């Protein structure tokens, strides 16, 4: 690997080419034999996803970037303007090139507040904000499948203990709006600490099986399956 890279996201295009992003603001490309830095100076990056060899998206501290070109090796990454321009993008996913989703967190430094944000790109190429829940302070993951729909996870303060946050999961299928999916709270122990605290990863294994992994509010590692 190129030296001094902290890799935080990876995606393969199905042809043998793989892409990775780093905290140092670089997009790396694997051509089947060698990793090279393909694009740089994009600010700390968190996530990468694409619909095919010439349609790759990356997100990070400065927002969202789209890589397009005549071939995978010729991709050029351009910054995309989003409705909430100060949003850090932490996760990207889509069913196709015409249906990508991106989520993250918008920071209001004047008010010392953060807000979970979700965005969807329609077929005409325009990005719009997606309504979830007004009490979200961050959005961390977006994933899904054709049959199970689109899933988004975020975090919000716990009403009885607002200095702690809990996981909030939302799901949308077809033309429906997003609705919350309540994760189970384990029995035993102090109830507050048994709530789902945050997610480290999420995936739709199939249209009928979704897995989450993360921690409870009390920092105990857990898996959840739906």
């Amino acid at each position: 690997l190129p030296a001094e890279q902290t890799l935080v996201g990876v995606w393969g295009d199905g042809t043998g080419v793989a892409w990775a992003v780093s905290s140092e603001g670089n997009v790396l490309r694997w051509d089947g034999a060698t990793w090279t830095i393909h694009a740089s100076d994009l600010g700390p990056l968190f996530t990468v996803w694409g619909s095919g060899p010439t349609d790759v998206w990356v997100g990070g501290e400065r927002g969202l970037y789209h890589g397009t070109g005549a071939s995978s090796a010729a991709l050029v990454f351009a910054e995309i303007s989003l409705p909430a321009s100060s949003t850090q993008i932490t996760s990207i996913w889509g069913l196709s090139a015409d249906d990508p989703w991106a989520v993250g967190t918008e920071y209001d430094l004047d008010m010392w507040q953060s807000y979970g944000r979700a965005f969807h790109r329609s077929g005409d190429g325009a990005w719009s904000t997606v309504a979830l829940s007004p009490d979200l302070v961050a959005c961390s993951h977006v994933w899904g499948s054709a049959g199970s729909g689109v899933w988004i996870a975020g975090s919000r303060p716990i009403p009885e203990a607002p200095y702690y946050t809990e996981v909030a999961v939302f799901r949308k299928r077809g033309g429906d709006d997003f609705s919350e999916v309540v994760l189970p709270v384990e029995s035993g122990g102090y109830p507050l600490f048994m709530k789902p605290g945050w997610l480290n990863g999420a995936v739709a294994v199939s249209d009928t099986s979704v897995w989450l992994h993360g921690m409870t509010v009390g920092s105990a590692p857990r898996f959840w399956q739906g």
Side-chain angles (χ1 to χ4, degrees):
L1 282 168
E4 299 179 0
Q5 298 300 301
T6 307
L7 303 182
V8 291
V10 64
W11 173 81
D13 69 7
T15 70
V17 172
W19 296 87
V21 294
S22 74
S23 299
E24 290 72 27
N26 298 318
V27 179
L28 288 73
R29 181 176 182 272
W30 168 261
D31 62 6
T34 307
W35 282 101
T36 57
I37 293 178
H38 183 90
S40 57
D41 299 324
L42 302 183
L45 297 172
F46 308 135
T47 183
V48 54
W49 174 87
S51 68
T54 58
D55 180 54
V56 179
W57 298 85
V58 300
E61 192 172 279
R62 297 181 187 172
L64 185 64
Y65 298 88
H66 190 196
T68 58
S71 67
S72 172
L75 290 195
V76 175
F77 285 85
E79 187 173 1
I80 301 300
S81 177
L82 293 173
S85 59
S86 60
T87 300
Q88 298 184 6
I89 298 299
T90 54
S91 183
I92 307 167
W93 175 85
L95 281 171
S96 68
D98 295 327
D99 190 33
W101 298 76
V103 302
T105 305
E106 180 183 6
Y107 293 94
D108 185 338
L109 298 180
D110 294 330
M111 300 297 294
W112 288 88
Q113 294 286 330
S114 63
Y115 307 93
R117 299 298 189 208
F119 307 96
H120 180 232
R121 181 174 180 258
S122 58
D124 61 5
W127 285 87
S128 59
T129 303
V130 178
L132 291 174
S133 177
D135 59 356
L136 290 179
V137 296
C139 282
S140 58
H141 296 78
V142 57
W143 74 100
S145 69
S148 69
V150 181
W151 299 74
I152 291 176
S155 59
R156 64 186 173 202
I158 298 174
E160 65 269 29
Y163 37 86
Y164 290 104
T165 60
E166 64 179 348
V167 173
V169 175
F170 303 87
R171 180 193 190 192
K172 169 184 171 63
R173 287 207 294 178
D176 297 339
D177 293 332
F178 277 95
S179 59
E180 185 168 354
V181 177
V182 179
L183 297 183
V185 177
E186 295 185 43
S187 59
Y190 185 50
L192 172 65
F193 291 158
M194 305 307 287
K195 290 176 175 285
W198 63 88
L199 294 186
N200 294 325
V203 64
V205 180
S206 69
D207 288 343
T208 58
S209 179
V210 169
W211 282 88
L212 313 177
H213 73 89
M215 309 281 277
T216 66
V217 173
S219 299
R222 289 292 184 271
F223 283 92
W224 296 273
Q225 186 190 22

